[in-house]
Amino acid sequence: MTADDGHGQLTAWHGRPWFAANEVLAFVLELGVLGALAWWGFTAVDGALVSAVLGIGTPAAAAVLWGLFAAPRARLPGPPAGVLAVKALVLGGGAAAVYGVGHPVAAVVLAVVLVVNTACAEFFRGPAASGGPVS
């Protein structure tokens, strides 16, 4: 694939290895958040049915919310503040889920990594998205 074949993602990544690495890290973190939400859901309450509903439903709801509002190709893209609010809700929910299963230090570390990753993604995405110069 080349940058001129209609795939804008490759154009955005060309010559910007930190941006590409941060986007890969963001994807891995998003998958981890879904896993944390499932882990919390399956262990939050007693009872197989409620645990199954929470364990499957919580990450499914987060994935739908993300796909509708926060994904790069969101179905209902909104203003940047709205996208960041959805990201905060879903990613923060993942960190809260890690805390909820009894790992407070890991939850804080995850939250810090999520905030730094999201801040870097927004910073790196800024000039390319606005058509300005890319350094």
Side-chain angles (χ1 to χ4, degrees), residues 16 18-27 30 66 84 87 91 113-129:
R16 300 172 69 197
W18 290 108
F19 176 76
N22 196 64
E23 290 295 303
V24 170
L25 176 60
F27 180 68
E30 292 158 13
W66 191 273
L84 287 176
K87 287 183 178 186
L91 299 176
V113 171
L114 289 167
V115 167
V116 170
N117 175 263
T118 303
C120 288
E122 295 305 314
F123 176 77
F124 288 144
R125 197 172 287 123

Side-chain angles (χ1 to χ4, degrees), residues 31-131:
L31 292 177
V33 162
L34 293 176
L37 291 169
W39 182 16
W40 171 83
F42 282 116
T43 60
V45 296
D46 290 331
L49 181 61
V50 176
S51 291
V53 168
L54 287 175
I56 296 168
T58 305
V64 167
L65 190 64
W66 191 273
L68 287 174
F69 302 106
R73 294 183 181 174
R75 297 284 183 207
L76 304 170
V83 172
L84 287 176
V86 170
K87 287 183 178 186
L89 178 67
V90 172
L91 299 176
V98 172
Y99 183 86
V101 295
H103 298 284
V105 174
V108 170
V109 170
L110 178 61
V112 168
V113 171
L114 289 167
V115 167
V116 170
N117 175 263
T118 303
C120 288
E122 295 305 314
F123 176 77
F124 288 144
R125 197 172 287 123
S130 66

